[in-house]
Amino acid sequence: MRTTFILAVSVLIFSACNKDKYTTAPQIRFKSINPDNAASGLATNRNNAPRLTIEVTDSEGDIGFIQGRDTSMVYIKNLKSNNLDSFFLPDIQTAAVKNFKGDVIINLFDALDCIDPGPPRPRTDTTYYEVYIKDFAKNKSNVIRTDKPVYYRCL
């Protein structure tokens, strides 16, 4: 009985430690969206659009943007409109090292959509996003869904 208990505790500790290891495919985690609301038209511009923050980990650190070379991208799907957009990750080569961990902030200005612009107006759409990234080797990260919505007022 005592041996079984020790074995069970050892397996639990070992499996818990494996969750924190960096992997070849990047791993992402939703952190926040701020602000969580926007309005169509002139009310929202690129400077005041919602920003999505995700945490990225990668064992090789082969993510980011390199001018004139193949680059890694972040992919964002608006679950209200089903539009998929891709964006360049920033140039992080000075910080991208083995076992890289960092936050990426994505401006959602280009991923905001009003669905069915007909009456009644104004109307507020509640939008969630799916997000994943690909590194230089085209390894695809896990796909996450934002925990919190963006409330988009269609004027």
Side-chain angles (χ1 to χ4, degrees), residues 2 16 19-20 22 24 39 45 54 57 60 65 68 70 76 81 86 88 97-98 103 106-107 132 138 140 153-154:
R2 184 174 187 204
K19 290 181 184 176
D20 294 332
Y22 294 89
T24 297
N45 60 42
I54 59 173
T57 60
E60 290 84 18
F65 178 79
D70 198 9
I76 300 174
S81 67
S86 60
F88 289 116
V97 294
K98 294 230 181 261
D103 289 347
I106 304 151
N107 187 315
Y132 65 91
K138 303 302 179 216
K140 182 179 174 181
R153 290 182 309 283
C154 301

Side-chain angles (χ1 to χ4, degrees), residues 105-132:
I105 300 170
I106 304 151
N107 187 315
L108 293 175
F109 180 78
D110 294 321
L112 296 169
D113 289 320
C114 282
I115 308 304
D116 186 22
R121 290 262 191 173
R123 184 183 79 252
T124 300
D125 285 339
T126 303
T127 305
Y128 289 88
Y129 296 90
E130 279 185 353
V131 183
Y132 65 91

Side-chain angles (χ1 to χ4, degrees), residues 31-50:
K31 289 189 84 173
S32 67
I33 292 180
N34 192 25
D36 67 352
N37 62 75
S40 64
L42 297 176
T44 298
N45 60 42
R46 190 167 297 283
N47 294 329
N48 65 2

Side-chain angles (χ1 to χ4, degrees), residues 23-25 58-63 96-100 135 139:
T23 59
T24 297
D58 186 60
S59 65
E60 290 84 18
D62 60 341
I63 59 174
V97 294
K98 294 230 181 261
N99 295 334
F100 172 80
D135 63 14
N139 295 312

Side-chain angles (χ1 to χ4, degrees), residues 52-56 63 74 89-90 92 100 102-106 133:
L52 167 67
T53 303
I54 59 173
E55 179 184 86
V56 178
I63 59 174
V74 60
L89 286 166
I92 59 168
F100 172 80
D103 289 347
V104 174
I105 300 170
I106 304 151
I133 65 172

